[in-house]
Amino acid sequence: GIQVEQSPPDLILQEGANSTLRCNFSDSVNNLQWFHQNPWGQLINLFYIPSGTKQNGRLSATTVATERYSLLYISSSQTTDSGVYFCAPGDTDKLIFGTGTRLQVFP
Amino acid sequence: DTGVSQDPRHKITKRGQNVTFRCDPISEHNRLYWYRQTLGQGPEFLTYFQNEAQLEKSRLLSDRFSAERPKGSFSTLEIQRTEQGDSAMYLCASSSRGGGTRAYEQYFGPGTRLTVT
């Protein structure tokens, strides 16, 4: 099955800083989503991005499917960005989650 | 669009008891998924339905687990003879497989946190 590796595992930032989260996956996929899991456990959709680049406010994501990686960019980070960020590629409807990047943003 | 809902949000049970969780998907979504998440890990796929048909089951879903979606709307996940290793967050998601750019995108509910004592 697909193997997913996310880096870094932990990230500590001061408010206003920018960051890049990386997701490597082992096989070709036709589905990839990024999620933010807030401190209450809710998974919030950030991007559906099996290929290409998308932007939503301070967040953007790029997936290079041929090279089997995806990047999530967070600019001007805020304390509300804290939580765990998951990358979840898949070859059908079954998403395979990585172990996530835990982000802490301090004021 | 009221989102995916799950009930109960928390369940504490004693080892050996049976428990049942319910998931109500987004109303126009025809696909429904169950995942399990343990502390410090990402969610793991358990099973999914298209309408009322169960299309795939993970090897994680032992014989003690059964999921149904009788009328293609809400779904239930039952765990029989619970074990302490079943303690986890059980997440439900739904998606619309109808073509267009939003096919496959899954939306998650708040989860049911199960504690087996």
Side-chain angles (χ1 to χ4, degrees):
Chain A
I2 299 169
Q3 304 297 312
V4 183
E5 190 177 296
Q6 289 189 244
S7 60
D10 295 281
L11 190 56
I12 301 174
L13 298 175
Q14 192 156 27
E15 214 169 20
N18 302 330
S19 60
T20 300
L21 282 58
R22 186 176 179 105
C23 171
N24 293 332
F25 44 94
S26 59
D27 294 298
S28 60
V29 298
N30 58 18
N31 187 0
L32 190 144
Q33 292 183 237
W34 281 96
F35 296 91
H36 173 212
Q37 190 165 42
N38 66 21
W40 297 272
Q42 175 73 55
L43 280 167
I44 299 162
N45 289 45
L46 297 178
F47 294 102
Y48 166 71
I49 188 166
S51 64
T53 297
K54 291 185 178 179
Q55 179 155 7
N56 184 4
R58 297 182 296 104
L59 274 58
S60 64
T62 294
T63 297
V64 183
T66 52
E67 297 187 21
R68 300 179 184 169
Y69 73 89
S70 184
L71 302 173
L72 178 69
Y73 306 94
I74 305 174
S75 64
S76 304
S77 57
Q78 300 176 358
T79 56
T80 52
D81 295 333
S82 296
V84 183
Y85 289 80
F86 287 106
C87 163
D91 59 357
T92 59
D93 287 78
K94 180 171 68 179
L95 295 177
I96 307 299
F97 284 76
T99 52
T101 291
R102 182 173 299 278
L103 173 64
Q104 296 179 73
V105 181
F106 290 95
Chain B
D1 182 352
T2 57
V4 179
S5 61
Q6 293 187 244
D7 184 69
R9 296 290 306 276
H10 303 273
K11 179 70 176 179
I12 300 174
T13 191
K14 293 186 176 181
R15 190 176 55 185
Q17 298 295 304
N18 299 344
V19 294
T20 300
F21 310 141
R22 176 180 170 126
C23 171
D24 287 87
I26 293 170
S27 58
E28 67 270 22
H29 285 182
N30 60 351
R31 292 206 166 197
L32 185 147
Y33 313 81
W34 286 99
Y35 292 80
R36 181 173 69 185
Q37 185 177 23
T38 53
L39 201 61
Q41 302 297 314
E44 297 173 291
F45 170 82
L46 293 178
T47 188
Y48 86 94
F49 294 83
Q50 177 169 305
N51 300 313
E52 65 275 11
Q54 189 172 16
L55 296 186
E56 186 171 349
K57 294 190 336 183
S58 163
R59 283 172 292 180
L60 292 174
L61 217 61
S62 76
D63 291 345
R64 297 184 298 104
F65 288 71
S66 63
E68 294 182 340
R69 194 181 183 199
K71 296 182 180 180
S73 56
F74 72 91
S75 175
T76 58
L77 178 68
E78 181 183 17
I79 309 174
Q80 296 183 326
R81 305 181 303 281
T82 52
E83 302 173 356
Q84 288 187 319
D86 297 332
S87 295
M89 176 80 89
Y90 290 83
L91 294 160
C92 177
S94 70
S95 75
S96 176
R97 183 81 181 267
T101 59
R102 299 190 78 77
Y104 307 104
E105 185 169 7
Q106 297 183 25
Y107 295 86
F108 281 77
T112 294
R113 184 171 296 283
L114 173 66
T115 303
V116 181
T117 62

